[in-house]
Amino acid sequence: MQFHLNGFRAGDPLVKEAATDVEGAIDNDGLPESVDVLIVGSGPAGLTLAAQLAAFPDISTRLIEAKAGPLALGQADGVACRTMEMFAAFGFAEQIEQEAYWVNEVAFWKPDAQRPEHIERNGIVQDTEDGLSEFPHVILNQARVHDRYLEHMRNSPSRMEVDYSRSVVSVTPSKNDGSAVVEIERTDPDHSGQTERVTARYVVGCDGARSVVRKSIGRVLHGDSANQAWGVMDVLAVSDFPDIRRKSAIQSSSEGNVLIIPREGGYLVRFYVEMDKLTENERVASKKITVEHVIAAAQRIMKPFTLEVKDVVWWSVYEIGQRICDKYDNVFESGPERPLPSIFIAGDACHTHSPKAGQGMNFSMQDTFNLGWKLAAVLRGQAIPELLHTYSEERQVVAQDLIDFDREWAKMFSDRPKDSASGEGVDPKAFQQYFVKKGRFTAGTETHYRPSMIRGADTWQNLAQGFVIGMRLHSAPVIRQADAKPMHLGHVARADGRWRLYAFAGANDLGSGAFSAIQNLCDFLTTASESPLKQYTSKFADIDAVFDCRVIFQQSHCDVAEQDLPLLFRPRKGKFGLIDYEKVFCPDLKSGLDIFDLRNIDREQGCLVVVRPDQHIAHVLPLTAHTELAAFFDAFMIRESDQN
């Protein structure tokens, strides 16, 4: 983490210097008449988007919430490995790691072969495969995740806060300029019944499964219910169940199934408990299920083990259902002449599924992590507005994959153990194998975007087979050359809207000389008129304001001469023209974890890996593919000379 670029500043370096005109942006007494972005709903999706846009004080953003204040106790709790990687971009992954419960293993239980009314352990498997991510799968109260986002927003240059007690009445797209008019009702005691009208260039509905924003644009959730009621409870309990502090999936012979999720703090445990079947068109509310019913069902399923609930922290009942919108914005037309979107939906507003796959909160945050940088790029004049079409195109497709997985997973979990006589039900062994098979999906690392204006073809994928185009950057250990610091390459990227250009040097290339592909690439990027750095970076900005360029050599950090490197990798920045020494990396040869081997990078040629601001790989190119690099960005970015 770099600070002091523009002068020494005492205090917490995580608290960014406030923008000079930020005071009006934090006046919560009333909303402005117009904003660039209005976010509706301060759940995981809304906060992820707000946290991104808070980095840009030149973009006027407001986040409104119907509730009276921040979430105190959240429903969701699972934080996938991929989401932890995303948290690293916001700078609070380590805080989450320290506080959360780590899911290291999963125990599977089935009916006892000798006494079917009792359960027995069927096996224990590793939760996440080795090397899938540098971060663990963790469990943490959703409210604590919200707290981290809120802190990040308050510490940002925008000093962004949530405007609570505001309910959206309607959202109406403008017929003239593509903006939207939002009617809002205040519900706080001092302003109850008062209305506000805000004109927003873009509206993002993160307002849940009953989204007013979704209804305003005529979108509908499609899908069905599995006709199965489940109870969920966070409890403090005493039990002789041996895996009470291990994630456990329990199948009983006749009483239903239980999923146990240990929680943070060492004592709290969450139970997902199968309850009654629902008839067609029957709703879970009609069953009048109480917490006592949920506890009793768990006790029956877990026999011969005992469960004595001492305190119920939170509980609820729900029905399994998988529903999704066919599109995530207000554009119903197709084709190149279609209108530009101005209203978007994200999270539960456009897709719902069961909580047992642990993807609800995670997938919602990934929605707006995809959208945020695109909105920023368009609003700042860096990218064409057509870029915004890619949000729905990318996220709806991968959400459908999630829906299909969740439907199969929920069905297997709700089925009875296989009956040897009839052959009906699910084999406990097959259930366990399916969990292992889909481990990457539940970890959140399987998202794979299709080719588009911001996702290149697979022509040169062979140059870096471990950096799959369209998937997230799979980080790996490196050594920072300047100070020999061991770190992860992926951790240098922050949620700041910048593109990353990672140049992996070929054999014997130390970054200098006429035959150096690294030197020639840097010459192109810094001097050629068609260079993306020259075309899209303001002459008044630091050279890495839009593109963050880094180099990774194959040699030991001791063998790389910093003084011989191209100036692009030791740029002068800020008002003092200070040198940035953190652009150069080498393999972690001491540990044996060589990034070139780990990610199967062509050692002879090297390659250039282009990474989007949301950590997904946009392209893999030869170091010599200067024309192709320029053409890729020219398809959607706006030249600095053409920016307003």
Side-chain angles (χ1 to χ4, degrees):
M1 180 179 64
Q2 294 175 313
F3 46 95
H4 303 323
L5 175 62
N6 293 311
F8 178 81
R9 195 163 54 89
D12 187 349
L14 294 177
V15 181
K16 308 299 183 185
E17 187 172 1
T20 55
D21 59 346
V22 78
E23 293 302 322
I26 60 174
D27 179 11
N28 287 325
D29 190 52
L31 295 174
E33 292 183 355
S34 63
V35 297
D36 290 322
V37 182
L38 182 69
I39 306 168
V40 182
S42 66
L47 288 171
T48 302
L49 180 57
Q52 286 184 88
L53 296 180
F56 308 105
D58 54 326
I59 298 174
S60 59
T61 304
R62 298 301 282 255
L63 170 58
I64 63 172
E65 167 59 52
K67 296 183 178 65
L71 189 70
L73 182 65
Q75 294 83 17
D77 58 2
V79 181
C81 302
R82 169 67 192 124
T83 305
M84 290 294 292
E85 296 171 2
M86 193 178 74
F87 288 167
F90 290 106
F92 56 74
E94 291 183 357
Q95 293 171 287
I96 298 291
E97 275 187 313
Q98 185 175 21
E99 187 175 341
Y101 168 84
W102 290 29
V103 184
N104 297 313
E105 296 179 328
V106 183
F108 290 85
W109 290 73
K110 65 176 184 177
D112 189 317
Q114 305 302 319
R115 301 183 65 184
E117 69 274 16
H118 289 176
I119 58 172
E120 65 175 358
R121 187 190 286 146
N122 189 47
I124 296 176
V125 301
Q126 187 172 306
D127 179 74
T128 307
E129 66 181 86
D130 292 335
L132 185 62
S133 175
E134 69 274 25
F135 290 107
H137 171 202
V138 302
I139 304 295
L140 186 66
N141 181 359
Q142 178 183 333
R144 295 295 292 150
V145 174
H146 286 202
D147 289 344
R148 298 279 74 80
Y149 272 129
L150 292 169
E151 182 182 35
H152 181 85
M153 291 158 53
R154 286 191 294 268
N155 293 341
S156 72
S158 300
R159 299 292 192 266
M160 192 181 298
E161 300 277 359
V162 182
D163 293 296
Y164 294 106
S165 300
R166 285 174 164 90
S167 297
V168 171
V169 178
S170 65
V171 182
T172 307
S174 170
K175 297 181 180 179
N176 299 320
D177 59 0
S179 61
V181 177
V182 185
E183 298 285 347
I184 301 165
E185 180 180 355
R186 300 195 63 170
T187 58
D188 55 302
D190 293 337
H191 304 87
S192 182
Q194 294 183 15
T195 59
E196 296 171 309
R197 173 179 290 190
V198 178
T199 299
R201 290 184 63 180
Y202 299 104
V203 176
V204 186
C206 307
D207 49 342
R210 297 180 176 87
S211 171
V212 175
V213 178
R214 183 189 68 236
K215 295 174 183 176
S216 294
I217 62 174
R219 295 294 179 191
V220 178
L221 286 169
H222 302 284
D224 50 32
S225 173
N227 298 322
Q228 178 66 59
W230 283 76
V232 57
M233 57 183 182
D234 288 331
V235 301
L236 298 169
V238 176
S239 176
D240 58 356
F241 180 65
D243 292 328
I244 196 69
R245 295 305 299 173
R246 183 183 280 118
K247 181 178 176 180
S248 302
I250 303 172
Q251 293 176 291
S252 73
S253 61
S254 59
E255 297 294 342
N257 304 317
V258 163
L259 178 65
I260 295 177
I261 308 289
R263 298 293 303 272
E264 68 278 10
Y267 300 99
L268 193 67
V269 183
R270 171 164 292 188
F271 287 81
Y272 289 99
V273 185
E274 186 178 11
M275 305 302 291
D276 300 331
K277 292 284 186 183
L278 302 175
T279 60
E280 190 173 357
N281 299 320
E282 184 181 20
R283 307 308 302 241
V284 69
S286 66
K287 304 297 290 186
K288 295 183 169 50
I289 298 172
T290 67
V291 68
E292 287 76 20
H293 292 141
V294 179
I295 293 171
Q299 291 170 332
R300 292 193 300 271
I301 293 169
M302 294 176 66
K303 287 184 177 179
F305 304 104
T306 60
L307 175 66
E308 185 181 358
V309 175
K310 298 293 187 179
D311 186 37
V312 179
V313 178
W314 171 82
W315 78 281
S316 184
V317 293
Y318 67 94
E319 54 194 282
I320 292 176
Q322 294 86 17
R323 299 178 177 88
I324 188 172
C325 288
D326 56 2
K327 208 163 181 290
Y328 292 179
D329 58 38
N330 63 321
V331 177
F332 286 80
E333 298 86 348
S334 59
E337 302 300 319
R338 58 187 163 168
L340 295 169
S342 60
I343 305 171
F344 307 87
I345 49 177
D348 286 354
C350 49
H351 50 76
T352 64
H353 30 82
S354 79
K356 285 183 289 299
Q359 291 299 298
M361 179 172 67
N362 295 282
F363 215 76
S364 296
M365 291 186 287
Q366 291 164 30
D367 281 347
T368 48
F369 199 52
N370 177 290
L371 176 62
W373 70 269
K374 298 174 181 178
L375 284 172
V378 171
L379 285 164
R380 304 183 88 201
Q382 296 174 335
I384 59 176
E386 287 78 6
L387 173 67
L388 299 176
H389 286 305
T390 66
Y391 165 65
S392 181
E393 292 168 352
E394 291 186 330
R395 295 304 299 173
Q396 200 277 342
V397 171
V398 296
Q400 187 61 62
D401 293 339
L402 171 63
I403 292 290
D404 296 340
F405 160 75
D406 184 63
R407 184 178 288 111
E408 182 65 22
W409 177 248
K411 181 180 181 297
M412 293 184 74
F413 204 98
S414 296
D415 275 351
R416 303 300 183 203
K418 188 173 184 178
D419 183 87
S420 56
S422 66
E424 297 180 350
V426 61
D427 186 341
K429 187 176 182 179
F431 179 53
Q432 182 175 320
Q433 290 172 341
Y434 187 79
F435 174 85
V436 175
K437 179 181 178 181
K438 295 296 183 177
R440 294 190 175 188
F441 203 99
T442 55
T445 62
E446 280 295 275
T447 295
H448 194 173
Y449 296 137
R450 299 175 179 178
S452 68
M453 67 169 66
I454 52 171
R455 195 278 203 191
D458 299 334
T459 309
W460 293 287
Q461 182 66 82
N462 63 295
L463 295 178
Q465 297 180 38
F467 289 135
V468 181
I469 302 170
M471 301 185 76
R472 107 294 189 193
L473 178 81
H474 188 183
S475 185
V478 289
I479 297 293
R480 193 163 63 196
Q481 185 271 336
D483 56 3
K485 180 180 178 180
M487 57 187 301
H488 260 262
L489 182 65
H491 297 185
V492 304
R494 288 289 186 257
D496 55 13
R498 292 190 296 168
W499 287 79
R500 267 75 198 184
L501 303 181
Y502 295 119
F504 289 85
N508 303 315
D509 190 341
L510 285 171
S512 61
F515 299 102
S516 168
I518 293 294
Q519 178 70 69
N520 293 334
L521 174 65
C522 291
D523 290 344
F524 167 75
L525 290 173
T526 54
T527 63
S529 60
E530 65 271 27
S531 160
L533 272 66
K534 301 284 286 186
Q535 294 277 16
Y536 313 117
T537 306
S538 170
K539 61 183 178 181
F540 303 107
D542 287 334
I543 193 171
D544 63 354
V546 179
F547 298 94
D548 179 14
C549 302
R550 315 262 178 164
V551 63
I552 305 94
F553 293 107
Q554 298 188 31
Q555 293 78 8
S556 165
H557 68 282
C558 298
D559 296 329
V560 175
E562 186 271 338
Q563 69 273 12
D564 295 334
L565 296 178
L567 295 179
L568 181 62
F569 299 127
R570 42 192 182 104
R572 290 186 175 272
K573 299 162 54 178
K575 68 180 184 180
F576 298 124
L578 302 180
I579 299 173
D580 187 343
Y581 294 100
E582 301 186 2
K583 301 284 191 180
V584 183
F585 302 90
C586 296
D588 189 355
L589 300 176
K590 185 177 180 180
S591 70
L593 300 174
D594 190 326
I595 189 171
F596 284 80
D597 293 335
L598 291 172
R599 300 297 170 259
N600 201 4
I601 298 167
D602 189 300
R603 286 190 174 274
E604 185 63 30
Q605 300 183 63
C607 67
L608 180 67
V609 179
V610 181
V611 183
R612 302 173 1 172
D614 60 359
Q615 303 174 328
H616 278 259
I617 296 172
H619 222 331
V620 173
L621 294 166
L623 292 170
T624 55
H626 304 165
T627 301
E628 291 83 354
L629 177 66
F632 173 75
F633 286 106
D634 202 45
F636 61 90
M637 293 195 75
I638 298 174
R639 297 179 181 183
E640 194 274 332
S641 58
D642 296 330
Q643 295 176 16
N644 296 325

